[in-house]
Amino acid sequence: MTADTVAIKNFAFSPTTLKVTAGTTVTWTNQDADAHTVTSAGSGGPLHSPALAGHATYSYRFTKPGTYAYLCTIHPFMTAKVEVTR
């Protein structure tokens, strides 16, 4: 795993908090057999992946500093966040 990747495994995002600098592209990889999404918590967030089948990936480039909380809409107990700094 590199600093800009998140694994979706065992119905959890790993790491649960990812720290990156602005301009970083983060890639999520679904390692479960079940489908999962990467969706911003709350309205207006930038993360809106489709349902990711096993081994599927989703990438997003974070351009603005801030904390981006997200979840899996299929399994809402799966939550995590990306902290973006300059």
Side-chain angles (χ1 to χ4, degrees):
M1 284 289 180
T2 58
D4 55 356
T5 61
V6 177
I8 306 171
K9 190 174 178 183
N10 299 322
F11 290 84
F13 295 106
S14 179
T16 54
T17 301
L18 180 67
K19 297 182 181 192
V20 299
T21 55
T24 299
T25 298
V26 175
T27 300
W28 289 260
T29 302
N30 184 8
Q31 298 176 6
D32 281 341
D34 290 72
H36 297 295
T37 70
V38 177
T39 307
S40 291
S43 61
L47 302 173
H48 296 288
S49 80
L52 301 174
H55 305 291
T57 62
Y58 172 72
S59 296
Y60 180 80
R61 184 171 182 259
F62 291 91
T63 57
K64 295 179 181 172
T67 298
Y68 297 83
Y70 63 92
L71 55 91
C72 171
T73 56
I74 302 167
H75 309 99
F77 60 88
M78 294 173 57
T79 61
K81 64 184 173 182
V82 177
E83 293 180 354
V84 183
T85 56
R86 290 197 183 283

